[in-house]
Amino acid sequence: MATLDVKDIRFEKVAQTKEKTPEDKLGFGAVYTDHMLLIDWDDQEGWHDPRIVPYGPFSLDPATAVFHYGQAIFEGMKAYNENGKILLFRPDCNFERLNISADRLSLPDLDPEFALASLKKLLEIEKSWVPSSAGTSLYIRPFMFSTEKTLAVHTAKTVTYGVILSPSGAYFSSDLAPTKIYVEEEYVRAVRGGMGYAKTAGNYAGSYKGQDKAAALGYAQTLWLDGVERKYIEEVGAMNIFFKINGTYVTPALNGSILPGITRRSVIQLLEEAGETVEERHVSIEELLGGIEDGSVEEIFGTGTAAVVTPVGELAYRDKKYVVNDFKTGPGARNIYDRLTAIQLGKEEGPQGWSVEVCKV
Ligand SMILES: *Cc1c(COP(=O)(O)O)cnc(C)c1O
């Protein structure tokens, strides 16, 4: 099968560029840029016909397998515009994880170098869409799904990979404001041996039930417990979770059912480089609630690309509420947020290769 080369990417330019939403009116996932990247795959030719074309709807047969059997994965990353420089944060990690998800969902592997080179090409074309005011970014959504027209149950013989771009405001209305989360005991997000470690559509489909329940009770997010004993903490919505317990940072160990966040991995490394102790281990809900009550749990915060670092100010478990750090943003969350965002925006030097410049506006 032929290897892909960026110079083979076909470019079909829009006739007219769309009007841009003012940066202070950007929400999350509401606005999309002029163009998208698409690449097709089939079991005969492999990946072929890479193209950057006007953003627009797909036409798919109602019997397309993805509608019925959910063979779909995605990634989430951001491009920043800092003083006219377009920057990515650890994009190699996203394309490495895309292939881990692809493997779990029996989708084809995509060369990570080509994935990054083709994303850079799309970003060069769309660079005027990267917002520059504080807290804004261009949210990047790579995704891959089965396009095969069949109701037969088997691995896709035809697949499409795409990248769409969405100028976005801050994920939550105010950065670093504490959020309230609801500990879900009835439903679970994932089990070991399942797809929890893959970034797949189905994990989200299964999570709305818990999310709606939390929302109805006035909670912004769901805290998921392990799928077997419903005892150990896994993660929150689309974030991994950290606890500061007696001065030590603790986060649930990756166990196959937790999504291995790139923000999580980065936060662990930055905390360790700053001389902090980080433990990756089991944390039971009893340990956590007991620690909130006796004051040993000093802070809780979530980490993820979309929400960056989000302090948790209150937990609800069964009928009881547990307030953390007086519902205030603690110094641990503040410091790691400041360090991480400074590296993402190229204002501070981070570990080698974390901040990747794409082009200048
Ligand atoms: C994407 C995601 C995260 C966060 O991962 P990052 O790489 O840090 O953005 C956490 N949990 C779930 C379920 C996710 O889908």
Side-chain angles (χ1 to χ4, degrees), residues 116-183:
L116 179 54
S118 57
L119 170 63
K120 284 181 172 173
K121 180 150 182 169
L122 177 66
L123 288 171
E124 277 173 35
I125 291 168
E126 301 294 68
K127 62 189 179 184
S128 69
W129 285 94
V130 190
S132 60
S133 39
T136 65
S137 58
L138 185 72
Y139 187 76
I140 300 167
R141 170 52 59 86
F143 60 116
M144 194 195 291
F145 59 97
S146 164
T147 55
E148 190 180 346
K149 178 188 162 183
T150 180
L151 293 182
V153 179
H154 61 231
T155 300
K157 293 193 176 81
T158 62
V159 168
T160 292
Y161 167 77
V163 181
I164 54 173
L165 306 172
S166 177
S168 298
Y171 192 68
F172 294 119
S173 46
S174 75
D175 262 0
L176 276 185
T179 187
K180 291 162 67 170
I181 60 181
Y182 180 80
V183 184

Side-chain angles (χ1 to χ4, degrees), residues 86-100:
I86 306 299
L87 301 166
L88 292 169
F89 182 70
R90 310 189 75 180
D92 49 322
C93 296
N94 291 92
F95 293 122
E96 182 192 324
R97 188 171 64 191
L98 182 77
N99 280 335
I100 292 169

Side-chain angles (χ1 to χ4, degrees), residues 111-328:
D111 172 17
E113 274 174 41
F114 181 76
L116 179 54
S118 57
L119 170 63
K120 284 181 172 173
K121 180 150 182 169
L122 177 66
L123 288 171
E124 277 173 35
I125 291 168
E126 301 294 68
K127 62 189 179 184
S128 69
W129 285 94
V130 190
S132 60
S133 39
T136 65
S137 58
L138 185 72
Y139 187 76
I140 300 167
R141 170 52 59 86
F143 60 116
M144 194 195 291
F145 59 97
S146 164
T147 55
E148 190 180 346
K149 178 188 162 183
T150 180
L151 293 182
V153 179
H154 61 231
T155 300
K157 293 193 176 81
T158 62
V159 168
T160 292
Y161 167 77
V163 181
I164 54 173
L165 306 172
S166 177
S168 298
Y171 192 68
F172 294 119
S173 46
S174 75
D175 262 0
L176 276 185
T179 187
K180 291 162 67 170
I181 60 181
Y182 180 80
V183 184
E184 178 56 50
E185 267 202 301
E186 187 183 354
Y187 305 109
V188 299
R189 178 186 165 273
V191 291
R192 264 187 295 154
M195 310 189 293
Y197 67 88
K199 226 170 158 70
T200 173
N203 286 340
Y204 279 79
S207 74
Y208 292 140
K209 193 88 179 157
Q211 189 179 305
D212 289 348
K213 191 168 140 191
L217 295 166
Y219 289 82
Q221 305 263 326
T222 308
L223 181 68
W224 299 106
L225 301 178
D226 76 275
V228 178
E229 296 180 72
R230 300 184 205 190
K231 175 175 173 189
Y232 296 104
I233 291 161
E234 300 239 305
E235 60 177 308
V236 187
M239 296 190 289
N240 295 109
I241 193 153
F242 285 76
F243 311 104
K244 192 177 176 197
I245 308 176
N246 285 326
T248 293
Y249 291 86
V250 180
T251 190
L254 299 179
N255 58 0
S257 57
I258 295 174
L259 197 288
I262 293 158
T263 321
R264 174 188 182 279
R265 201 209 286 196
S266 305
V267 164
I268 292 172
Q269 187 174 333
L270 293 175
L271 286 170
E272 286 177 343
E273 284 181 6
E276 303 288 351
T277 307
V278 184
E279 293 173 2
E280 295 179 67
R281 62 168 171 87
H282 276 332
V283 185
S284 72
I285 186 70
E286 294 94 87
E287 176 188 353
L288 180 67
L289 299 177
I292 297 173
E293 284 189 320
D294 71 19
S296 55
V297 172
E298 298 157 46
E299 290 186 43
I300 305 180
F301 56 87
T303 65
T305 298
V308 197
V309 172
T310 301
V312 175
E314 184 184 313
L315 279 181
Y317 182 65
R318 298 185 178 159
D319 289 327
K320 211 165 155 194
K321 292 176 180 177
Y322 297 79
V323 173
V324 186
N325 193 37
D326 295 328
F327 208 81
K328 289 201 292 277

